[in-house]
Amino acid sequence: EVQLLESGAGLVRPGGSLRLSCAASGFPFSSSVMTWVRQGPDKGLQWISTINPSGGNTFYADSVKGRFTISRDNSNNTLYLQMNSLRAEDTAIYYCARIVKGPFDFWGQGTLVAVSS
Amino acid sequence: DVQMTQSPSTLSASIGDRVTIACRASESVFNWLAWYQQKPGKAPKLLIYRASELEHGVPSRFSGSGSGTEFTLTISSLQPDDFATYYCQQYNTYSPYSFGQGTKVEIK
């Protein structure tokens, strides 16, 4: 059974940092493209970042470029999102998802990040 | 970047109704278009990919059509489990991924 379990939720002050993790199981993680998507309070879905299977290629939305870093540990089947210089507008539920042939075919349950003073 | 626009934003319908949601891309995304269903407090679920391909396990009352810039999601006979918010997404290779703003399907 495919499982994606996010962790790292928290309340952080503006300018602070947080690292999210996504533990994967039930599929060949090391050969899967992975991505992060967020959803602000009562808002739609926003793609944040994508990483290729080796971790050698990463892609970011303009809104987080230079502040967020996606990475992965294929030996531990874990995806990460390091978030620095956090802003109030980064407040959202953050989902990790698997990409298979383009669409995001499986999503984790999400983890909540709140940025507030 | 490709902008995705869905219509309507909210749709009120009854059980058994045929429901159609439209999605328009600001430039051609060929058929690299997916549809997702999201229920309150839950993660999105993939319904349709490549504009018209039904994801495994998704009921056949869901269907997708279109190509280029105009797409539709149709629910042939609305069921109680279908009341949710639906999002289109383009995944054209050389553009950042982008989602529509969502269409909430409510009980009439």
Side-chain angles (χ1 to χ4, degrees):
Chain A
E1 178 189 8
V2 174
Q3 289 195 2
L4 293 171
L5 185 61
E6 300 96 336
S7 60
L11 171 63
V12 60
R13 297 194 185 281
S17 298
L18 204 60
R19 188 176 84 156
L20 305 182
S21 300
C22 172
S25 61
F27 67 98
F29 177 79
S30 62
S31 59
S32 298
V33 180
M34 300 296 296
T35 196
W36 289 96
V37 177
R38 70 184 180 186
Q39 186 168 34
D42 295 319
K43 292 188 178 179
L45 301 169
Q46 181 188 20
W47 169 77
I48 293 300
S49 184
T50 296
I51 188 168
N52 75 335
S54 70
N57 288 310
T58 57
F59 307 89
Y60 299 93
D62 287 345
S63 59
V64 305
K65 198 173 295 182
R67 301 188 299 124
F68 289 13
T69 302
I70 190 172
S71 63
R72 64 194 298 159
D73 180 350
N74 286 341
S75 63
N76 287 308
N77 291 346
T78 304
L79 176 72
Y80 300 102
L81 185 68
Q82 176 66 44
M83 304 184 294
N84 298 332
S85 303
L86 282 161
R87 307 166 180 167
E89 55 264 37
D90 296 319
T91 294
I93 296 172
Y94 285 73
Y95 296 98
C96 65
R98 181 180 71 174
I99 297 178
V100 174
K101 299 180 182 178
F104 302 175
D105 78 318
F106 194 84
W107 300 57
Q109 86 291 345
T111 192
L112 178 61
V113 173
V115 183
S116 175
S117 55
Chain B
D1 297 357
V2 180
Q3 307 300 317
M4 307 300 291
T5 304
Q6 289 181 230
S7 60
S9 295
T10 306
L11 187 158
S12 296
S14 302
I15 301 299
D17 283 354
R18 181 181 181 88
V19 167
T20 298
I21 299 170
C23 176
R24 173 175 291 178
S26 60
E27 62 186 73
S28 177
V29 297
F30 306 95
N31 64 345
W32 304 119
L33 191 286
W35 289 97
Y36 300 86
Q37 176 193 66
Q38 187 180 33
K39 297 181 179 179
K42 299 294 186 180
K45 172 188 173 184
L46 177 65
L47 299 177
I48 302 279
Y49 63 95
R50 211 177 297 162
S52 60
E53 299 291 326
L54 199 66
E55 174 71 345
H56 180 71
V58 174
S60 58
R61 62 181 180 273
F62 291 92
S63 63
S65 63
S67 65
T69 61
E70 303 285 342
F71 302 89
T72 58
L73 173 70
T74 299
I75 309 173
S76 60
S77 177
L78 197 66
Q79 298 302 302
D81 191 48
D82 302 337
F83 291 98
T85 299
Y86 294 84
Y87 294 92
C88 63
Q89 178 215 16
Q90 67 81 19
Y91 53 96
N92 191 30
T93 308
Y94 299 106
S95 301
Y97 299 111
S98 49
F99 293 88
Q101 81 279 14
T103 295
K104 185 175 183 179
V105 177
E106 298 181 328
I107 300 174
K108 191 171 184 179

